[in-house]
Amino acid sequence: MNRIVRPVSGTLLRRLALASIIANVGVVVTGGAVRLTASGLGCPTWPRCTDDSYVTSSELGVHGVIEFGNRMLGFAVGLIALATVLAVLTHRPRRPGLLALSVAVFLGVPAQGVIGGITVLTHLNPWVVGLHFLASMAVIAAAYALWRRIGDPDGPTVAVVPAPLRALARITTGVAIAVLVIGTWVTGSGPHAGDHGAARNGLDPESISQVHADGVFLLIGLSVALIFAFRAVGARRATRAAIVLVAVELGQGVIGFVQYFTHVPAFLVGTHMLGSCLVLLATLSVLWSTRERHPVAPAPETAPADDAAPVPVTA
C-alpha cells in the first residue's frame, strides 16, 4: 500500500528555516557560556564525555553538565536541520537551490561537532576555538540564505541599486567578515580561555583589540555611507536594512568598548558573541536587499491555430 506524502507548505518551510537560524545562534551563545564558565573541558574527551561514558557524571560537576548540555543542543540543531531538508524534499513545486542550501546547513552541524571535538582534543587551542566560532557563522549565513530564498518568488533576479552600490555592499560584507575573524584573535588573546590551563594565542591583547576597533570604525563608516547612497537612488528597502545594520553595529561597538574598559566581564563577552551573530545577519540583510526576484509572468494565451478552427460542413 503506497502512502501519499502531503507537500509541505511554504509557510512551514520558512518557519523551519527561521528555527534553524535561531537554533544555530543559540549554539553560539551556549558555546560562549561553555568557555566563559571555564567548562571547555567539562567533558575531557570526544566523542565520549569521558573515556568510559558518552554522558557526564557527578564527578565532572557543573562544568561537565554545561559542556554536555552544549553537545546535546547540537543534536537538537541537527534535528531541525534534518527536518528542514525533508521539508524541502516534499515541498511543491520544487524550488531551485533550496535543497543545496538545506543540505549545506545540515552538513554544517556534524562539521561543527567534529571541530568541537578537535577543540577538546587539542585542549582548547585558541586558533581551533576561533575556527569553531567562524564555522558557526558560516552555518548561520547558509541558514539565512535558505530562509530568504524560501520567501522569494521564483523568477529572475533584478538589481534594485546601481552596480557601484552593489559593489559597496559586497565590500561592507567583506569588512564585516574580517571584523569577525579579528574578533576571534582578540578572544584568543584574552582571559576567557575555557579552562584555567588552556593556552592563549600569544598576541598582545591591547594591540589586537586596537586592530579590531579600527576594523569596526571602518565597518560603521561604510554602513553609514550605504544609508546615504541607498537613499540617493530611492532604494527604500535597502535603506532600511542599512539603518538596522548601523544600529546593530553601534550597539555591538558600545558593548565591545564597555567590556574592554571593565576588564572583560563574562556576561558582556557573552552578549558580544550574540551581537556578532546579529551583525552578520544584518549585514546579509543589506546584501540581500540590493537585489530582488520578480515572479515569472504567466505565459500569454495563444489563439487557436488556423488548422484547429472548425471546418464548416456543406450540404
Side-chain angles (χ1 to χ4, degrees):
M1 181 178 178
N2 295 328
R3 292 185 177 181
I4 299 176
V5 179
R6 298 185 61 183
V8 172
S9 68
T11 300
L12 176 58
L13 188 57
R14 199 158 195 251
R15 287 175 179 173
L16 284 171
L18 179 60
S20 188
I21 296 173
I22 295 172
N24 279 284
V25 171
V27 166
V28 171
V29 175
T30 58
V34 170
R35 180 168 58 84
L36 295 170
T37 57
S39 302
L41 295 178
C43 287
T45 189
W46 186 89
R48 295 173 182 264
C49 185
T50 67
D51 291 333
D52 302 321
S53 175
Y54 283 97
V55 300
T56 187
S57 61
S58 58
E59 288 79 7
L60 298 176
V62 66
H63 295 305
V65 172
I66 294 173
E67 165 65 7
F68 182 72
N70 187 59
R71 293 187 183 188
M72 290 299 98
L73 181 59
F75 282 103
V77 175
L79 290 175
I80 294 173
L82 177 59
T84 306
V85 173
L86 296 176
V88 169
L89 289 172
T90 59
H91 180 64
R92 295 294 182 274
R94 286 287 178 87
R95 302 283 301 279
L98 294 190
L99 182 59
L101 285 171
S102 63
V103 170
V105 174
F106 174 69
L107 294 180
V109 176
Q112 273 290 75
V114 171
I115 297 173
I118 296 173
T119 301
V120 173
L121 296 176
T122 57
H123 301 285
L124 308 183
N125 180 292
W127 300 106
V128 182
V129 172
L131 178 62
H132 196 39
F133 171 80
L134 294 175
S136 290
M137 295 294 102
V139 176
I140 290 172
Y144 180 83
L146 175 63
W147 178 70
R148 291 298 298 259
R149 181 66 188 90
I150 293 170
D152 286 342
D154 281 328
T157 302
V158 179
V160 296
V161 298
L165 297 190
R166 298 198 302 274
L168 181 59
R170 290 192 290 270
I171 291 171
T172 304
T173 302
V175 172
I177 293 171
V179 167
L180 290 175
V181 172
I182 298 172
T184 65
W185 303 348
V186 176
T187 298
S189 69
H192 299 290
D195 185 79
H196 298 297
R200 302 283 73 204
N201 60 20
L203 299 175
D204 177 60
E206 184 174 350
S207 298
I208 195 62
S209 294
Q210 183 61 58
V211 174
H212 183 57
D214 292 341
V216 171
F217 288 137
L218 175 59
L219 177 60
I220 293 175
L222 289 171
S223 302
V224 171
L226 282 175
I227 293 176
F228 288 101
F230 289 155
R231 287 189 64 183
V233 297
R236 295 182 179 179
R237 190 164 67 98
T239 301
R240 289 194 298 269
I243 291 173
V244 171
L245 173 60
V246 170
V248 172
E249 290 168 348
L250 290 175
Q252 178 75 332
V254 169
I255 295 172
F257 276 106
V258 172
Q259 74 172 5
Y260 180 80
F261 289 108
T262 55
H263 307 291
V264 202
F267 173 75
L268 286 181
V269 175
T271 306
H272 202 54
M273 293 183 69
L274 173 60
S276 297
C277 299
L278 299 180
V279 168
L280 174 65
L281 292 171
T283 303
L284 294 175
S285 177
V286 170
L287 191 62
W288 211 275
S289 69
T290 61
R291 293 176 177 269
E292 61 184 24
R293 288 181 180 270
H294 289 178
V296 178
E301 296 183 2
T302 57
D306 291 340
D307 57 357
V311 179
V313 179
T314 56

